[in-house]
Amino acid sequence: MARTNRQQWITHGVERTARADARQANIAAGRAVATAIRTTLGPNGSDKMLIGADGTVIVTNDGASILARMDVDDPIAEMLVSVAAAQDQTVGDGTTTAVLLTGELLAATEELLSDGLHPTTILAGYHHAVDRARKRLDAYGIEIDRTDDEALRAVARTPVTGRWDDASAERFADLATRGVRAVETGGHVDVQNLTVTALPGGELRESELVSGLLVDMDASSTTEGFPFGLPRQIDTARLALVDTEITVDTADAIESVTVSEPEQRERLRAYESETREDVIRTLVALGVDVLFCQKSIDTVVRTKLANEGMFTVERTRQDEFDALSRATEATAVQSVTDLTRADIGRAGSIERRSLGGTELLTITDCPGERHVSLLLRGGTEHVAEETQRIIEDCIAAVRLVLHDGRVLPGGGATEMALARDLSAHADTVGGREQLAIKAFAEALEGIPRALIANAGLDPIDELSALRSRHEENATIGIDPTTGKPRDMVQSKVFEPPSVKDRCLTSALGATSRILRVDDIIRAKPSDSDDTDHGSDEHTARAHRSTDGYPWAIGH
Ligand code: ADP
Ligand code: MG
């Protein structure tokens, strides 16, 4: 991106960029990323078409998805992408906001620098602003009744509004709320007991909350050789969980060693079949109905078990395996022969279902920890993934609000309130630092400004209308459809305080890291520096949060 504009020269294999230019180029790179996603903010945000290197086209209006897939090779842009990933991972929402706010701050910083402010003064002002803003967030929080499902649904609705038609948004908000509620005890939400599975095909309205566990047979296990004739449903099932491969030496392997010794070969064959019989005997004696194995299961064993009416699932995913153990109270063992009666888990019912070309097992009525699964349907594989991401945002929001016990008005209302407070507060702060605090306040207005612009209105007019409305009411935000000011408490647009808090600290962190760099040194490629910085095929959520960036060593 901005790299081409950089004045670079090469000395001893090291590329350097001049001091002032380095900072400028970095700021420009950061702003470019923010600009790229600005129009996606809010329910009325527009879609972006992402075209992959292989020609695949993805249309999305989720800032987090865009950032996660953006092919950036500029270290600053890359850093913003990782800020977004970290935001997504820690609080699950507010990704676009955090990056936009960073972009606004960088723009403000550029002006302050050209006015002659030193980066240290600027950063001191920003830190001051964030400290105060975070305290104000506490004061602005509106207490909610944690037992009030309607209030929680309102929180869940904010991330889904505008993504689909109103009825679907309502439905998903309700599913997410019920899902979280099901695994909540006294404000604490056990997220590991709530899983979200999105399957392409079908209709959005076919999405459901399953009270129990889902095991995706396609994703987690080989389904080929599924024994014919096994029941679709097993009642009062007994389950066994085995960690390691269930195998016996293959005849082929033996052959190569002992081909010339028929007797020994015979003995090994006998041993092999004895081992298999042992496995089968143990499982039959324990009355196991379904066997889950994290690795593969010998085909002959599988067939024999099928003949005994036993259902086997190979390559069960680790998370599903753990969830099975918690819900069914089964204890995972190393090998089948270790199994005892006490290790056997139970489930009221295990059912096989085929949905959207995927085989699923639903495991319900378990004696252990309560587990619920949100099964999302509709659209192509990509749409399903997107749906999953948005629902995860809803879940995160509801969980955080249950934890915080408070909400903040959305639609830019909170940012505007903070901006007004900081701008007034700046006057009481002496020195040049106050300029930076004022600049921070203006950057915060970038959020309502983007919401107005995304509704197609003129940000200058509407923003001043919003500012003046705030004199009487600090919960006025922007209605994303009309672009006009509207009371967010009345329209029940609520967000978790932790998301807003994290947006502030994420933006400050990114800005200060960018600002502290005054020199760019491109070291020559080193063999050992092949660390993966999270740009794999997973979504941003699956990324490891890297609280730093490749070359930030020493900061
Ligand atoms: P992020 O990645 O930051 O969560 P979103 O695209 O989800 O970005 O947009 C979030 C912004 O949209 C927040 O400022 C939120 O308050 C606002 N928003 C969402 N729903 C509404 C609504 N119904 N009315 C007004 N603002 C809304
Ligand atoms: Mg959001």
Side-chain angles (χ1 to χ4, degrees):
M1 195 169 303
R3 184 183 293 181
T4 47
N5 298 327
R6 291 176 178 173
Q7 284 177 12
Q8 293 159 339
W9 69 93
I10 295 177
T11 20
H12 305 298
V14 175
E15 233 178 272
R16 298 192 65 180
T17 305
R19 192 164 281 246
D21 286 346
R23 201 171 266 134
Q24 223 170 35
N26 285 343
I27 287 177
R31 288 184 61 187
V33 174
T35 305
I37 60 156
R38 179 172 291 117
T39 55
T40 68
L41 184 77
N44 213 29
S46 46
D47 292 348
K48 296 275 175 204
M49 189 181 272
L50 303 172
I51 302 169
D54 58 353
T56 50
V57 174
I58 290 170
V59 176
T60 175
N61 80 347
D62 187 54
S65 297
I66 298 167
L67 286 164
R69 295 187 170 96
M70 220 154 91
D71 180 18
V72 286
D73 67 347
D74 190 285
I76 291 295
E78 219 172 73
M79 195 193 88
L80 277 198
V81 171
S82 84
V83 165
Q87 170 89 23
D88 202 29
Q89 270 208 328
T90 49
V91 287
D93 199 12
T95 331
T96 317
T97 307
V99 173
L100 262 188
L101 195 55
T102 311
E104 296 291 337
L105 270 182
L106 291 173
T109 306
E110 225 170 10
E111 278 190 32
L112 295 174
L113 285 171
S114 70
D115 288 346
L117 256 73
H118 192 272
T120 315
T121 318
I122 299 177
L123 282 181
Y126 288 175
H127 273 283
H128 186 134
V130 167
D131 281 348
R132 179 168 173 98
R134 296 181 74 186
K135 289 197 191 98
R136 298 307 299 159
L137 283 185
D138 267 349
Y140 296 154
I142 303 166
E143 283 212 23
I144 59 141
D145 176 1
R146 283 193 173 93
T147 61
D148 179 3
D149 274 354
E150 187 41 45
L152 293 183
R153 260 196 300 276
V155 171
R157 223 179 282 126
T158 306
V160 281
T161 317
R163 310 279 186 186
W164 302 287
D165 60 284
D166 287 352
S168 300
E170 193 60 44
R171 180 168 174 69
F172 282 126
D174 181 56
L175 286 176
T177 307
R178 285 197 285 132
V180 174
R181 189 60 99 192
V183 294
E184 175 242 11
T185 12
H188 173 76
V189 178
D190 200 347
V191 268
Q192 63 176 359
N193 286 342
L194 170 60
T195 40
V196 183
T197 308
L199 292 182
E203 305 280 336
L204 287 178
R205 64 185 150 71
E206 290 171 63
S207 301
E208 57 177 312
L209 185 68
V210 179
S211 171
L213 229 108
L214 294 181
V215 175
D216 180 344
M217 307 286 279
D218 282 358
S220 67
S221 46
T222 41
T223 50
E224 50 213 71
F226 241 2
F228 236 24
L230 271 183
R232 290 206 78 82
Q233 182 165 349
I234 307 167
D235 289 325
T236 55
R238 297 164 70 86
L239 296 81
L241 306 181
V242 177
D243 273 331
T244 53
E245 209 173 356
I246 299 173
T247 179
V248 279
D249 297 329
T250 70
D252 284 355
I254 296 157
E255 212 148 6
S256 60
V257 194
T258 59
V259 72
S260 56
E261 298 163 56
E263 234 175 75
Q264 202 178 355
R265 211 168 125 190
E266 222 18 74
R267 278 225 307 278
L268 279 162
R269 277 242 168 85
Y271 161 80
E272 195 186 302
S273 94
E274 191 49 37
T275 317
R276 284 199 178 105
E277 288 310 319
D278 264 358
V279 166
I280 292 154
R281 250 197 314 271
T282 312
L283 291 167
V284 170
L286 290 168
V288 172
D289 298 299
V290 187
L291 166 69
F292 291 90
C293 179
Q294 279 215 52
K295 303 276 166 53
S296 62
I297 304 173
D298 175 74
T299 322
V300 179
V301 171
R302 289 192 82 185
T303 316
K304 289 199 167 184
L305 288 174
N307 291 339
E308 299 284 344
M310 207 177 300
F311 197 68
T312 49
V313 182
E314 291 182 300
R315 301 192 180 89
T316 312
R317 247 174 28 209
Q318 181 76 51
D319 59 328
E320 291 175 342
F321 206 71
D322 296 343
L324 276 168
S325 171
R326 289 194 303 272
T328 69
E329 294 185 328
T331 313
V333 294
Q334 282 292 311
S335 83
V336 171
T337 41
D338 293 342
L339 273 174
T340 66
R341 216 152 271 285
D343 301 321
I344 302 299
R346 279 156 208 279
S349 165
I350 296 187
E351 201 186 337
R352 245 189 323 150
R353 286 165 79 178
S354 292
L355 277 179
T358 303
E359 283 277 348
L360 281 182
L361 281 189
T362 56
I363 296 140
T364 49
D365 295 329
C366 301
E369 287 180 28
R370 174 141 197 223
H371 194 107
V372 290
S373 310
L374 265 170
L375 179 59
L376 307 173
R377 303 300 320 279
T380 59
E381 193 164 328
H382 159 64
V383 171
E385 261 175 40
E386 195 79 353
T387 309
Q388 172 154 4
R389 186 186 268 283
I390 296 166
I391 296 305
E392 280 169 355
D393 284 358
C394 289
I395 290 172
V398 174
R399 180 174 75 93
L400 288 172
V401 163
L402 272 173
H403 176 264
D404 296 349
R406 298 153 157 249
V407 291
L408 283 168
T414 301
E415 286 84 357
M416 184 45 105
L418 289 176
R420 281 174 47 84
D421 171 76
L422 285 177
S423 170
H425 172 72
D427 294 335
T428 69
V429 177
R432 309 195 81 187
E433 209 179 292
Q434 66 167 286
L435 296 177
I437 299 174
K438 277 224 156 63
F440 195 97
E442 271 169 42
L444 281 165
E445 289 187 347
I447 303 304
R449 198 188 303 122
L451 290 171
I452 295 167
N454 291 349
L457 263 65
D458 177 22
I460 299 177
D461 293 349
E462 298 309 323
L463 203 59
S464 67
L466 178 64
R467 239 183 252 128
S468 65
R469 290 283 300 274
H470 259 247
E471 274 162 32
E472 302 121 46
N473 186 346
T475 60
I476 308 264
I478 294 297
D479 180 317
T481 318
T482 63
K484 298 272 183 195
R486 186 167 170 179
D487 190 343
M488 292 292 120
V489 173
Q490 246 166 38
S491 15
K492 291 203 164 65
V493 179
F494 294 130
E495 289 182 290
S498 356
V499 171
K500 293 269 167 257
D501 185 86
R502 179 77 199 200
C503 284
L504 293 174
T505 51
S506 298
L508 174 66
T511 309
S512 85
R513 267 179 276 162
I514 293 174
L515 210 52
R516 278 200 222 117
V517 175
D518 69 351
D519 205 356
I520 297 173
I521 302 173
R522 283 187 199 285
K524 59 181 171 189
S526 115
D527 293 344
S528 58
D529 190 24
D530 58 358
T531 344
D532 178 13
H533 292 286
S535 52
D536 49 25
E537 76 278 12
H538 300 298
T539 62
R541 198 173 295 274
H543 282 169
R544 251 167 302 119
S545 102
T546 40
D547 216 343
Y549 46 109
W551 38 275
I553 300 147
H555 270 293

